[in-house]
């Protein structure tokens, strides 16, 4: 195992403790000793999905049992459509039946779905358990596992029920990506493009340059990507843990993304929806005079290079998408807010506010005829 890279998430609020994100090849094999240091407990509840469980649960349980920890695995059916209150009920009931008490710590193990759902179980079970994030998808490694947003979707929209609950630490082993299906690797890269778009133009250029290497699953390139994305996310979360200010930037592309993800019945992957969302929100910014002309075209080029979609699915109407954006958490006083950028790598705030209210008519003009390939 190489020496892990450590990124500190320094939280600003007085009653919040900071934590570390550890990134290193082979870290998964040292899980027991990392847990004993960062999240000691008498027993561990592993919340995961059935794909990840099939690949890794036996090894994980053996490691923890071998270190003397009682460990129970709670695996639910994989997929965004399972990130619901119903699954939260199933998992928490199963934990009660297994006798998990307040001496239990939780391991949210998997992609962003087990990460968000497991984190929400940790936030709520017996009024809160300590937990660690052990992400296994690229998207979860570079984004979902860091920052303490947990929650579930509801029929009205994504992530509408949840809590901020920070993990004790995040343990990232890029070797786990060797089993990740390629479409999910691509989807994860969309969030890396977002990090470059909102904070670091050089990083974005590097992603573009290394597109083939990254898509081929090169371990070194992926490790570098994970560390840079985690640094960007950690820096933003440290400025604004509860998303009242600059953390809104991380929602770039997500107002449209959440709408089309839900409209697709979650057949569109989150990262794919974010790719389309970033292009459309850059166009909204351009139309509003906030974003430099050409920004959406630049993003489209990079995202296409990564094999990601860049335009609305053919059967989605602008009205349907706008209707869905109204239930987004980012709506304020009935007006939908967008996180916008001035140019790639440069975010933009308006009188210190990071959410830009945009009239539905402007969004409609942009989305009209935005379907299919442009
Ligand atoms: P996911 O958890 O459904 O994982 C995608 C698929 O990959 C699943 O089928 C999963 O079983 C499989 N998988 C994961 N790791 C694997 C591995 N190592 N080997 C083989 N298969 C593996 O989805 P995701 O794309 O990881 O995450 C999307 C979710 O993350 C969305 O719900 C989104 O809202 C959420 N998210 C949350 C935050 C946050 O800050 N909390 C940020 C971004 C995204």
């Amino acid at each position: 195992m190489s020496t892990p890279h450590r990124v500190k998430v320094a939280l600003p609020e007085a009653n919040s403790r900071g934590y570390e994100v550890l990134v290193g090849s082979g870290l998964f094999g040292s899980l027991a000793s990392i847990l004993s240091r960062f999240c000691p407990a008498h027993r561990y509840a592993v919340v995961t999905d059935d794909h990840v469980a099939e690949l890794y649960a036996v090894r994980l349980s053996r490691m923890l049992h071998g270190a003397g920890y009682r460990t129970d695995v709670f695996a639910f059916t994989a997929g965004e459509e399972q990130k619901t209150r119903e699954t939260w009920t199933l998992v928490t009931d199963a934990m009660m039946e297994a006798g998990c008490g307040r001496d239990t710590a939780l391991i949210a193990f998997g992609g962003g779905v087990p990460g968000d759902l497991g984190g929400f179980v940790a936030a709520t079970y017996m009024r809160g358990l300590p937990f660690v994030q052990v992400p296994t998808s690229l998207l979860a490694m570079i984004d979902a596992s860091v920052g303490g947003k947990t929650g579930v979707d509801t029929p009205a929209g994504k992530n509408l029920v949840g809590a901020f609950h920070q993990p004790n630490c995040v343990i990232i082993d890029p070797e786990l990506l060797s089993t990740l299906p390629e479409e999910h690797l691509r989807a994860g890269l969309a969030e890396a493009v977002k990090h470059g778009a909102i904070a670091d133009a050089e990083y974005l250029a590097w992603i573009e340059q290394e597109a083939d290497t990254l898509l081929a699953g090169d371990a070194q390139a992926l490790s570098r990507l994970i560390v840079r994305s985690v640094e960007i996310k950690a820096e933003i979360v440290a400025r604004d843990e509860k998303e009242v200010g600059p953390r809104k930037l991380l929602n770039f592309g997500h107002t449209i993304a959440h709408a089309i993800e839900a409209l697709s019945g979650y057949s569109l992957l989150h990262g794919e929806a974010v790719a389309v969302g970033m292009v459309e929100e850059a166009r909204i910014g351009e139309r509003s005079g906030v974003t430099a002309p050409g920004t959406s075209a630049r993003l489209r080029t990079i995202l296409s290079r990564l094999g990601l979609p860049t335009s609305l699915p053919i059967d989605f109407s602008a009205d349907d998408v706008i209707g869905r954006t109204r239930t987004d958490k980012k709506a304020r006083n009935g007006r939908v807010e967008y996180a916008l950028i001035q140019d790639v790598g440069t975010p933009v705030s308006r009188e210190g506010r990071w959410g830009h209210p945009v009239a539905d008519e402007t969004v409609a003009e942009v989305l009209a005829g935005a379907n299919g390939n442009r």
Side-chain angles (χ1 to χ4, degrees):
M1 189 189 72
S2 54
T3 313
H5 204 101
R6 305 166 85 120
V7 181
K8 178 94 184 154
V9 184
L11 297 173
E13 299 197 8
N15 57 355
S16 296
R17 51 174 174 74
Y19 56 94
E20 282 192 291
V21 181
L22 309 178
V23 185
S25 273
L27 270 191
F28 185 57
S30 306
L31 194 61
S33 64
I34 297 173
L35 288 172
S36 70
R37 174 158 176 217
F38 292 98
C39 193
H42 287 102
R43 66 188 282 188
Y44 292 94
V46 180
V47 176
T48 187
D49 71 26
D50 55 355
H51 293 166
V52 175
E54 199 182 323
L55 291 163
Y56 297 107
V58 171
R59 188 174 157 209
L60 174 68
S61 299
R62 277 204 191 122
M63 281 192 302
L64 297 190
H65 288 147
Y69 297 124
R70 173 153 184 202
T71 306
D72 301 276
V73 176
F74 302 94
F76 57 87
T77 309
E80 181 71 35
E81 52 297 346
Q82 307 300 326
K83 202 177 105 177
T84 59
R85 287 170 289 195
E86 289 72 26
T87 307
W88 174 88
T89 304
L90 285 175
V91 172
T92 49
D93 282 354
M95 284 174 62
M96 280 176 226
E97 209 167 299
C100 293
R102 300 201 73 182
D103 59 346
T104 305
L106 190 144
I107 301 173
F109 182 49
V113 169
D116 281 8
L117 189 127
F120 188 48
V121 170
T124 48
Y125 190 80
M126 299 200 173
R127 297 208 175 88
L129 299 178
F131 85 117
V132 296
Q133 288 277 7
V134 183
T136 64
S137 72
L138 183 62
L139 190 143
M141 290 181 185
I142 66 169
D143 200 324
S145 63
V146 179
K149 274 192 184 180
T150 74
V152 293
D153 305 332
T154 80
K158 266 186 64 86
N159 303 328
L160 292 182
V161 175
F164 285 97
H165 188 56
Q166 299 291 350
N168 280 30
C169 79
V170 181
I171 302 152
I172 302 179
D173 182 350
E175 282 181 14
L176 299 181
L177 295 175
S178 63
T179 52
L180 186 72
E182 193 187 321
E183 58 172 339
H184 291 289
L185 189 74
R186 286 181 201 280
L189 290 170
E191 296 280 15
V193 168
K194 179 192 77 179
H195 294 138
I198 61 172
D200 186 345
E202 256 177 55
Y203 177 47
L204 195 66
W206 177 81
I207 295 171
E208 187 176 24
Q209 188 192 311
E210 297 296 323
D212 293 337
T213 320
L214 291 163
L215 287 170
D218 180 83
Q220 258 190 330
L222 285 171
S223 291
R224 193 169 159 195
L225 178 110
I226 293 164
V227 169
R228 184 64 194 128
S229 271
V230 167
E231 284 170 352
I232 290 171
K233 178 135 189 196
E235 197 263 322
I236 293 174
V237 170
R239 284 162 68 197
D240 174 23
E241 181 184 351
K242 298 280 169 66
E243 199 177 292
V244 289
R247 186 166 179 173
K248 290 183 182 180
L249 280 174
L250 290 163
N251 295 325
F252 175 55
H254 281 61
T255 306
I256 298 290
H258 285 166
I260 62 176
E261 211 183 334
L263 278 175
S264 78
Y266 299 109
S267 61
L268 208 56
L269 298 179
H270 178 70
E272 292 171 340
V274 169
V276 176
M278 285 190 287
V279 173
E280 296 309 341
E281 292 187 17
R283 293 178 71 224
I284 288 168
E286 288 167 5
R287 170 84 50 148
S288 309
V290 172
T291 302
T295 304
S296 62
R298 169 114 169 84
L299 289 173
R300 191 179 295 133
T301 305
I302 297 168
L303 293 163
S304 304
R305 185 94 176 70
L306 295 168
L308 286 159
T310 58
S311 45
L312 283 190
I314 205 84
D315 46 348
F316 288 11
S317 76
D319 282 351
D320 289 344
V321 177
I322 289 168
R324 275 286 179 168
T325 61
R326 292 205 191 93
T327 55
D328 197 83
K329 292 189 300 308
K330 295 175 280 302
R332 294 273 178 284
N333 301 325
R335 278 194 100 184
V336 180
E337 291 194 345
Y338 290 81
L340 296 177
I341 56 175
Q342 189 178 310
D343 202 345
V344 288
T346 314
V348 61
S349 65
R350 198 179 36 90
E351 292 155 14
R353 297 182 54 193
W354 296 90
H356 300 256
V358 178
D360 283 352
E361 301 75 56
T362 308
V363 181
E365 282 162 21
V366 169
L367 295 185
N371 313 71
N373 290 329
R374 268 185 298 264

